[in-house]
Amino acid sequence: MTSATDPIQNAGPEALGESRVEQEAREIAPGVFFLAGFGNTTILIGSEGAAIVDPGLFTNGPRVVRELRHLTDLPVRYVIYTHGHYDHAFGTPAIMEDAAARGHDAPDIVGHVNVAKRFERYAKTSGHLAGTFDAQFAIWGPGGGDVVRNAKYFPPTIAYEDRLLLDGLGDLPVECRHGLGETDDHTWVWVPGARVIVGGDFIVSSLPNAGTPFRVQRYVLEWAEALEEMASVEPLSVISGHGGIFGDHAQEMLLTTSTALRYLDGEVVRRLNEGQWQEQILAEVELPEELAASSYLQPLYGCTAFAVRDIMRRYMGWYDGNPSMIFPSSRADVATEVVALTGGTAPVMERARVLGASEETAEIQRALHLVDFVIFNGGEQVDEAHALKAELLDIRSKRERSFVAHNILASAAVIERESGATA
Ligand SMILES: [Zn+2]
């Protein structure tokens, strides 16, 4: 039985939102404390020391230290990264400062060998990344890219490849296991004494985020395999990277999710082998009804279309089946030709407004494409076009349940309004 006060709640569709409300750390099993945040943190406390799994965003570090020090004065032996994303592995500086202030040895940083490679890539492409975070999170105000600009890198001092047993906490042994999934540097943490898994972003309390438009390749089939390996150890609780904690239904959640990921991978591959191209695959591949209805697979964080895109990227090149697109003209050149044929931008805008007033998402989407002709043509009615595009993006964003899809569209609307205002 679970209740509102039970520390282990089976995450439902609302759980993702709940984890964004900061709460105090709570003990979910002996020595295992869950600290909800935008990216969840887990604090492990044994007889001889503590470990922090995922200190979170750089702004989250001081909060982690505060919560830790309510619980124990023991030194932190390990900071474990489930992966090197900005919302998981960058709260470390505050933990290092706390250790120094207390005269403790600096904790070891534990992660998969690819974490350091990720950090090198982050440093190499920091301008690009900061720009993409500004764009992805513009709806929350300027400065989304500060997670990149303010990042202090603490790469692993203990890097492992496949599995690693950590015994520095005394009576609470901790095992790190690697799997490919959201990233190529992912770890899930197994605490066998408490039968708890800290799942990182393998678990996001909804359809996995198996493809984000701004981000590099994700690994859908291996993700399924990792979830099956988690199920094989028969955990009592599984802590998500975003969202809640799975208790009674952990096994069902793991295996239902792996079934869905295997389905998507298999379906895309089958269609590729039949000679289909991206446009058709993207338009037609959906989860079967029974899976789509599962409470574990609601598109609250990721969405099916984004996962399908990443699966295609995994198995094929960038060619889309249309030879006109091998060496394409600029969008501005095409738009100029089209607007010349329509005798100016007015009929294009008019039709875009008609389509944009529709209830049908497909028609709103077509309105976006029409408005682009006016924007890329430049000049005539371009401010109006930016304003209409912003409106259309807002409407579109409200129809997306996925956190990632919604944010990108709503943020794009904010940016469109700004570019209309300064055009
Ligand atoms: Zn992540």
Side-chain angles (χ1 to χ4, degrees):
M1 276 296 287
T2 58
S3 70
T5 52
D6 192 324
I8 298 183
Q9 293 163 16
N10 292 300
E14 293 75 33
L16 186 61
E18 276 172 29
S19 94
R20 293 174 58 195
V21 179
E22 293 184 352
Q23 299 163 16
E24 287 178 9
R26 63 181 203 263
E27 190 167 23
I28 62 151
V32 181
F33 296 81
F34 174 65
L35 179 58
F38 172 72
N40 294 326
T41 300
T42 303
I43 299 171
L44 305 174
I45 302 176
S47 53
E48 285 168 34
I52 307 290
V53 187
D54 284 355
L57 288 164
F58 75 97
T59 49
N60 193 54
R63 183 176 156 249
V64 171
V65 170
R66 235 173 16 247
E67 293 290 329
L68 168 77
R69 292 306 168 208
H70 285 156
L71 300 172
T72 182
D73 286 321
L74 286 171
V76 176
R77 302 278 186 211
Y78 310 112
V79 177
I80 303 171
Y81 299 154
T82 62
H83 59 304
H85 275 169
Y86 288 104
D87 52 342
H88 292 263
F90 284 84
T92 308
I95 298 164
M96 291 301 191
E97 283 160 24
D98 174 69
R102 288 169 176 266
H104 296 161
D105 289 343
D108 269 309
I109 310 290
V110 182
H112 184 260
V113 288
N114 285 343
V115 170
K117 293 178 193 165
R118 165 181 304 278
F119 286 175
E120 283 165 24
R121 173 168 64 81
Y122 279 2
K124 179 176 172 176
T125 60
S126 59
H128 163 73
L129 284 169
T132 62
F133 278 98
D134 284 337
Q136 190 173 346
F137 298 107
I139 191 175
W140 294 344
D146 288 353
V147 294
V148 181
R149 296 180 194 101
N150 294 336
K152 290 199 175 63
Y153 296 97
F154 285 90
T157 54
I158 299 176
Y160 79 102
E161 286 196 31
D162 184 34
R163 285 189 191 194
L164 173 71
L165 189 67
L166 300 169
D167 55 13
L169 304 190
D171 60 358
L172 195 70
V174 175
E175 192 182 352
C176 295
R177 295 199 190 187
H178 169 62
L180 294 172
E182 189 188 67
T183 63
D184 64 3
D185 63 351
H186 232 100
T187 291
W188 55 277
V189 176
W190 172 228
V191 187
R195 304 201 71 78
V196 172
I197 284 175
V198 186
D201 281 357
F202 282 113
I203 314 291
V204 292
S205 312
S206 66
L207 185 75
N209 185 15
T212 293
F214 292 111
R215 309 285 162 231
V216 300
Q217 182 70 59
R218 296 181 172 188
Y219 303 89
V220 172
L221 187 57
E222 292 87 344
W223 197 321
E225 289 165 358
L227 297 176
E228 287 154 12
E229 194 185 329
M230 287 182 204
S232 76
V233 303
E234 299 182 355
L236 292 177
S237 335
V238 176
I239 298 175
S240 68
H242 302 273
I245 303 165
F246 293 85
D248 297 345
H249 299 284
Q251 220 50 10
E252 188 186 334
M253 177 277 294
L254 291 167
L255 297 175
T256 306
T257 309
S258 78
T259 301
L261 293 174
R262 280 187 183 280
Y263 173 84
L264 290 174
D265 184 87
E267 186 61 12
V268 170
V269 169
R270 182 184 72 74
R271 287 165 177 266
L272 286 174
N273 283 330
E274 282 180 2
Q276 295 182 19
W277 290 102
Q278 289 97 318
E279 186 175 289
Q280 183 183 357
I281 294 173
L282 197 56
E284 293 179 3
V285 174
E286 292 287 349
L287 285 176
E289 230 165 89
E290 195 195 351
L291 287 172
S294 162
S295 66
Y296 307 120
L297 297 172
Q298 295 309 294
L300 300 179
Y301 201 135
C303 69
T304 312
F306 292 174
V308 167
R309 281 187 186 271
D310 247 37
I311 296 167
M312 293 192 288
R313 171 159 69 162
R314 184 81 188 278
Y315 291 113
M316 67 189 303
W318 52 262
Y319 182 58
D320 69 356
N322 177 4
S324 304
M325 294 307 289
I326 294 178
F327 294 107
S329 308
S330 73
R331 281 178 285 194
D333 283 348
V334 175
T336 304
E337 292 293 337
V338 171
V339 169
L341 287 172
T342 54
T345 53
V348 185
M349 286 295 286
E350 201 183 306
R351 179 65 183 151
R353 285 210 168 83
V354 170
L355 288 170
S358 166
E359 289 297 308
E360 298 292 322
T361 302
E363 298 204 343
I364 292 161
Q365 184 60 42
R366 288 218 293 282
L368 276 169
H369 294 303
L370 283 188
V371 136
D372 275 348
F373 285 116
V374 180
I375 290 173
F376 288 113
N377 178 61
E380 197 185 347
Q381 285 189 295
V382 79
D383 288 358
E384 259 172 80
H386 278 298
L388 179 56
K389 185 168 181 177
E391 257 175 67
L392 296 168
L393 288 167
D394 271 337
I395 298 169
R396 194 80 178 71
S397 75
K398 293 194 178 87
R399 294 178 182 206
E400 293 298 330
R401 295 171 68 206
S402 148
F403 169 80
V404 176
H406 171 86
N407 256 348
I408 289 172
L409 292 167
S411 292
V414 171
I415 292 164
E416 264 325 300
R417 273 197 188 93
E418 284 164 5
S419 55
T422 56

